[in-house]
Amino acid sequence: MTDTPPQTRIQARNRAAILEAALEVFAARGFRGATLDRIAQAAGLSKPNLLYYFRSKEALHLAILQDLLELWLAPLRAMDPEGEPRAQIMGYVRKKLEMSRDHPRESRLFANEILQGAPRARPVLEGELKALVDEKAAVISGWSAAGRIGPVDPHHLIFSIWALTQHYADFEVQVRAIMGDTDPYPGAEAWLERVFGAILDIPHHGP
Amino acid sequence: MTDTPPQTRIQARNRAAILEAALEVFAARGFRGATLDRIAQAAGLSKPNLLYYFRSKEALHLAILQDLLELWLAPLRAMDPEGEPRAQIMGYVRKKLEMSRDHPRESRLFANEILQGAPRARPVLEGELKALVDEKAAVISGWSAAGRIGPVDPHHLIFSIWALTQHYADFEVQVRAIMGDTDPYPGAEAWLERVFGAILDIPHHGP
DNA sequence: GACCGATTTGACCGCTCGGTCAAAATCACG
DNA sequence: CGTGATTTTGACCGAGCGGTCAAATCGGTC
């Protein structure tokens, strides 16, 4: 996804297997909790063989993180300033919840990175991410000022979308412990529709 | 906070120093990322001396986690079924946000535990926490059915409170990266007031 | 100040981990 | 089938880790 140096069939297969295995292990145990032995085993390789494809644990983690950040930022990028405000925001919410449901490991890997102080992702956060968020915040701000959605703080609105959607992936264990065997997602979808509907509503006056 | 076996002055001082240091280190680096050497050093002790007070890393982590869970559950326990619904829920939100601001390390330690699949906290989640949440959810459900607050899914409402408030502690690095030097908390407080105000509102019918 | 339990320490152990390396096995291709 | 490059492996290293232990030191009490 980043660059594509000359790849043999074997390389393509093994790199993919390693990235998949590493995503699994890093997400479940964090950077320091993950071991190369475990990742290699999950990928069906020996540890030295894994290190033939990725120079170091660090490099492997970074490769995953970079791919991940693209996936993560795409839906926000897709928010269209020319579109209908409510549809654009609700679409982003829906997409983000889908990603929590379909890519919980990616979400947890990212959460791990941030929780530990973003030692590897910090530059991207302060650069690319901040720029993108500021840009979209300005758009939302415009919509709000034009009265096309209710009064909102655009930055905190975006934080809220992240928090509410990612919660279902990152804290899945807790959610499941409380909801029992019930699948939380149909409920969550309806609930977030309701929540952001209320937030974006243009307040009426009087009874 | 849990039990109080005979304690000398020295014991009290050192145990407190260790717990404080361990909270710091566990929150910042996770269970596996934390080392006893580092914790001991932060507490001003040698590693064997630390182990004189806590049998093992595991035991130390557990001691912190238990104290933490009490602190964590208290505000939800304090929600009064006899009180005014909006005030009770908004009070809980406010209290929870305060805790993110004043105890971010506790929040991150807890988040770390859940992210890793709650290997140590699972029983509490499925027992005490689930019971408490179900109880309060029933209360909220009653309020909603009585028309004293708008229609809400009580479980998802509680998840939302957790997600929105804890986000400011757990993802602090990201929030700060985007907000620059601005203190996020005054804004967050006003925003959450606005958000939950809208959610709990009893919907009017069109003009 | 002598005594005894509480506290502290330095040396050490066994294990795991990330990473290296040279040799072996495999593969692609003429 | 031969050959050179690619891929794989087993043996190994050094550092860091959690934890142990016996000996030393300290602190309160008579």
Side-chain angles (χ1 to χ4, degrees):
Chain A
M1 198 134 294
T2 46
D3 52 349
T4 315
Q7 287 245 347
T8 74
R9 202 165 52 260
I10 292 181
Q11 261 181 34
R13 173 170 46 87
N14 283 349
R15 290 185 80 97
I18 291 170
L19 288 171
E20 158 66 23
L23 172 61
E24 182 76 26
V25 177
F26 277 135
R29 348 240 314 183
F31 181 78
R32 309 231 13 199
T35 73
L36 289 183
D37 272 311
R38 220 183 174 89
I39 295 171
Q41 193 188 342
L45 302 173
S46 66
K47 183 174 61 172
N49 199 6
L50 186 158
L51 285 165
Y52 172 74
Y53 290 98
F54 292 89
R55 257 170 273 257
S56 67
K57 190 183 184 182
E58 190 71 32
L60 174 55
H61 190 265
L62 212 64
I64 291 190
L65 209 53
Q66 277 167 357
D67 285 4
L68 172 56
L69 280 168
E70 283 318 297
L71 182 71
W72 231 230
L73 264 52
L76 184 52
R77 281 223 181 79
M79 204 167 81
D80 179 8
E82 310 299 325
E84 202 282 313
R86 266 183 108 97
Q88 291 302 312
I89 295 172
M90 294 307 301
Y92 180 49
V93 170
R94 244 173 265 125
K95 184 75 199 153
K96 214 68 179 51
L97 185 62
E98 263 173 47
M99 289 181 56
S100 275
R101 194 218 303 144
D102 301 337
H103 302 282
R105 298 175 306 177
E106 280 85 345
S107 186
R108 283 193 279 264
L109 177 54
F110 184 74
N112 250 308
E113 169 71 9
I114 303 292
L115 251 188
Q116 315 290 324
R120 285 162 271 272
R122 178 103 47 124
V124 187
L125 298 189
E126 289 170 348
E128 221 178 326
L129 178 64
K130 177 174 169 40
L132 178 61
V133 168
D134 283 345
E135 175 200 328
K136 297 303 181 180
V139 172
I140 294 173
S141 218
W143 288 338
S144 185
R148 304 179 67 188
I149 56 175
V152 298
D153 179 319
H155 283 105
H156 287 284
L157 173 61
I158 291 172
F159 294 155
S160 294
I161 294 172
W162 293 346
L164 288 174
T165 55
Q166 290 173 10
H167 186 82
Y168 290 96
D170 301 343
F171 289 73
E172 186 186 338
V173 177
Q174 188 179 234
V175 170
R176 300 201 91 87
I178 286 165
M179 305 244 324
D181 291 331
T182 320
D183 176 10
Y185 278 102
E189 201 183 319
W191 170 251
L192 292 190
E193 210 81 32
R194 158 99 171 72
V195 166
F196 286 99
I199 294 175
L200 297 178
D201 225 12
I202 298 160
H204 298 235
H205 289 283
Chain B
M1 198 134 294
T2 46
D3 51 348
T4 316
Q7 289 244 348
T8 75
R9 201 164 52 260
I10 293 180
Q11 260 179 37
R13 172 172 45 87
N14 282 348
R15 291 183 78 98
I18 292 170
L19 288 171
E20 158 66 22
L23 173 62
E24 183 77 25
V25 178
F26 277 135
R29 345 241 314 185
F31 182 77
R32 307 233 11 202
T35 74
L36 290 183
D37 272 310
R38 219 183 174 92
I39 296 171
Q41 193 188 341
L45 302 173
S46 65
K47 183 174 60 172
N49 199 5
L50 186 158
L51 285 165
Y52 172 75
Y53 291 99
F54 293 89
R55 255 171 274 255
S56 66
K57 189 183 185 182
E58 188 73 32
L60 174 55
H61 189 265
L62 212 63
I64 292 189
L65 208 54
Q66 278 167 359
D67 286 5
L68 171 57
L69 281 168
E70 282 318 298
L71 182 72
W72 232 230
L73 265 50
L76 184 52
R77 280 223 182 77
M79 204 167 80
D80 180 6
E82 309 299 324
E84 202 281 312
R86 266 183 107 95
Q88 290 303 311
I89 294 171
M90 294 306 301
Y92 180 48
V93 171
R94 243 173 265 125
K95 185 74 197 154
K96 212 69 180 49
L97 185 62
E98 263 174 44
M99 289 181 57
S100 275
R101 193 217 307 142
D102 301 337
H103 302 283
R105 297 174 308 176
E106 280 85 345
S107 186
R108 284 193 278 264
L109 178 54
F110 185 73
N112 250 308
E113 169 70 10
I114 303 293
L115 250 189
Q116 315 290 324
R120 286 163 270 272
R122 178 103 46 124
V124 187
L125 299 189
E126 289 170 347
E128 221 177 329
L129 178 64
K130 176 175 170 40
L132 178 61
V133 169
D134 283 345
E135 176 200 325
K136 297 303 184 182
V139 171
I140 294 173
S141 216
W143 287 339
S144 184
R148 304 178 68 189
I149 56 175
V152 297
D153 179 319
H155 283 105
H156 288 284
L157 173 61
I158 291 173
F159 294 154
S160 294
I161 295 172
W162 291 347
L164 287 174
T165 55
Q166 292 173 10
H167 186 83
Y168 289 96
D170 301 343
F171 289 73
E172 187 185 338
V173 178
Q174 187 179 234
V175 170
R176 299 200 93 87
I178 287 165
M179 305 241 326
D181 291 333
T182 320
D183 177 8
Y185 277 104
E189 202 181 319
W191 170 251
L192 293 190
E193 211 80 34
R194 157 96 170 76
V195 165
F196 286 99
I199 294 175
L200 298 177
D201 226 13
I202 297 161
H204 297 233
H205 291 282

